[in-house]
Each structure stands twice: as structure tokens, then as C-alpha cells.
Amino acid sequence: MMCSKIIPLGFLLFCLFHHAAIGASPLYHFCFSNENYTAYSPYQANLNQLLNLLYTKVPPTGFGFGSTGQYPNQVNGLALCRGDVSSNNCKTCVIDASKELGERCPNRKGAIIWYDNCMLKYSNKKFIGQIDNANKFYMWNVQEVDNPTRFNEKVKQLLSGLSTTASSNPKLYSTGVVELDKSRKLYGLVQCTRDLSKSDCKKCLDVAISELPNCCDAKQGGRVVGGSCNFRYELYPIVSS
């Protein structure tokens, strides 16, 4: 079972039982630019060059950004892989993301796509180093917990702690786990794109975490996924050991 809904702020909301089973399918995408480029134009040539740059630049460290060409045909872009993803899987994800955006947002000058393993964004506008609050969506598990007040407090406590840890980590990434009771654990993950400063990373994550009541109240799992940062929590392990 899956449902979606557009809300006034432009965030996309998803609900699902267990998204991990979907595998390498995209989580979502936005063709956010209203401007188009023409086939075989300088902009397309610069976009292809940028994507080739990201294929090679991102996998070794899990993050990379760059710009190709000159105004008015300059293309800016970045790609981020989840902190535990191997270089090979990172490269595969970035390549898949590039191909998928070409099919889903043909000729658009700005677009973004997310997978479980990576995200990719490009635009004719300069955005590197700026918090992206425009491109964002929610996901949650439709199953609810039995003790929502205590559970919600535990989720916020875990994610807020991870926000602080991530903002002081060079990879701007952090994971953690807390015990809910003798038989259940709560797992969390937060991450920012590494073009942000440490303070902007924490600011981005704290804003995302403040949206918990809107996206994931009493839900067994949830995410706020954005163009600059994201968080996820589940009642099962969500990263590679």
C-alpha cells in the first residue's frame, strides 16, 4: 500500500509499509526548473560534461560538486551518497540517477532525484553552499506505535543528538541506535550535503527534525528528505554493518 499527496508548501508526502523492499527504484524526483534547454545545445554539452565529472569525483569520498561552462550555459551540480555506501555502489547509483533524470526531466535546466543510496542535483542557478528548503518530501511507515507520546520523544531525542554529532563530523553524517524496551530498538540516520558549513548542516537538520509532527507522528518509521539534508528512523537497521 502506498499513498501520496501534495501539500501547499510543495512538499511531497509518501506513506508506505516497508520501502526498503523496492530496492534501487528512485524515492522521488523534482523537475524544479521551468526553463528548458534544446537538444545538442551548449547547455546539454555542459550538463553531460558535469555528469561525467560527478561519476568520477563522487564515489571515492561519497560526495562531489562542480560547475561546467560559462554563463548563460553554465551547469552546477552535486551528488551525495549515503555515508555507509561502498564506492562501487555509490558510482552505480550516481550513474543510474543521471540516466533516470534524463528520462524523467528531459530538457529541464534544473532537476533533483533521490535514491536510498544517493541523490543527484543539477541546475543553471548557483546553489552550492546554500540550504535547499524548496525540494523536500516526507515518507513514513503506515504502521503506528502503541505508545505515541513516549515514542515520539525518543525519536526526537535520537535525531537531535545525531544532528549535533553529524554537524561536527567531516562527512556531515551520523547514525545511532537506542533501546526502546527489552525487545525493540530505534535506529536513526542523518546526513547533509558537504557543501554546507557545519552550522548550516545543523540548521538544516534541526528544521527537518522540527517537521516530525507533520510527517511521522506515531509512525514506526519516517523520513524527511531534502536537497541539502535528510533524516530517517526505523525499528530495524537501516545502514550496512
Side-chain angles (χ1 to χ4, degrees):
M1 176 182 177
M2 181 178 291
C3 66
S4 63
K5 178 184 178 184
I6 298 290
I7 62 175
L9 290 177
F11 300 163
L12 183 84
L13 283 74
F14 279 100
C15 65
L16 64 163
F17 281 116
H18 197 307
H19 191 88
I22 297 177
S25 299
L27 300 179
Y28 201 68
H29 73 282
F30 290 114
C31 310
F32 59 77
S33 175
N34 293 322
E35 300 179 63
N36 291 334
Y37 63 84
T38 56
Y40 308 109
S41 65
Y43 191 90
Q44 184 178 42
N46 290 333
L47 175 58
N48 290 339
Q49 184 180 348
L50 174 69
L51 295 176
N52 287 332
L53 172 67
L54 294 178
Y55 294 165
T56 57
K57 190 174 184 179
V58 174
T61 65
F63 177 73
F65 64 89
S67 298
T68 55
Q70 302 295 324
Y71 179 83
N73 295 304
Q74 186 178 69
V75 190
N76 311 283
L78 62 76
L80 173 72
C81 290
R82 203 178 67 217
D84 64 309
V85 173
S86 69
S87 294
N88 285 339
N89 288 340
C90 179
K91 183 174 183 179
T92 298
C93 190
V94 174
I95 291 173
D96 289 347
S98 300
K99 293 178 180 177
E100 197 71 24
L101 270 187
E103 296 175 2
R104 296 185 178 220
C105 302
N107 304 113
R108 292 292 189 93
K109 287 191 173 183
I112 185 170
I113 192 168
W114 296 267
Y115 289 75
D116 268 330
N117 282 354
C118 73
M119 64 159 285
L120 172 69
K121 176 183 178 181
Y122 64 80
S123 175
N124 61 324
K125 309 297 185 183
K126 294 183 178 180
F127 64 86
I128 303 300
Q130 302 174 14
I131 298 176
D132 179 359
N133 283 318
N135 299 297
K136 186 179 295 185
F137 64 98
Y138 304 156
M139 301 178 70
W140 68 85
N141 188 316
V142 296
Q143 302 285 347
E144 295 193 352
V145 296
D146 296 329
N147 50 347
T149 300
R150 180 177 179 275
F151 183 79
N152 289 342
E153 289 174 353
K154 285 288 188 179
V155 170
K156 185 174 181 180
Q157 181 181 7
L158 173 61
L159 295 176
S160 295
L162 293 178
S163 171
T164 300
T165 304
S167 62
S168 61
N169 185 314
K171 294 181 71 173
L172 300 185
Y173 166 80
S174 185
T175 63
V177 56
V178 295
E179 286 194 6
L180 296 175
D181 50 48
K182 291 183 179 180
S183 61
R184 292 192 309 167
K185 294 181 179 180
L186 177 67
Y187 300 83
L189 175 155
V190 304
Q191 187 170 22
C192 299
T193 56
R194 279 178 249 157
D195 59 314
L196 296 185
S197 66
K198 292 180 178 181
S199 60
D200 279 348
C201 174
K202 190 171 191 309
K203 182 186 300 183
C204 184
L205 287 170
D206 288 348
V207 169
I209 293 167
S210 73
E211 295 166 17
L212 273 168
N214 299 324
C215 83
C216 320
D217 184 49
K219 303 301 183 182
Q220 290 187 8
R223 310 186 194 189
V224 171
V225 186
S228 293
C229 68
N230 69 87
F231 74 72
R232 182 180 182 184
Y233 74 89
E234 302 286 357
L235 293 177
Y236 55 83
I238 51 181
V239 297
S240 303
S241 56

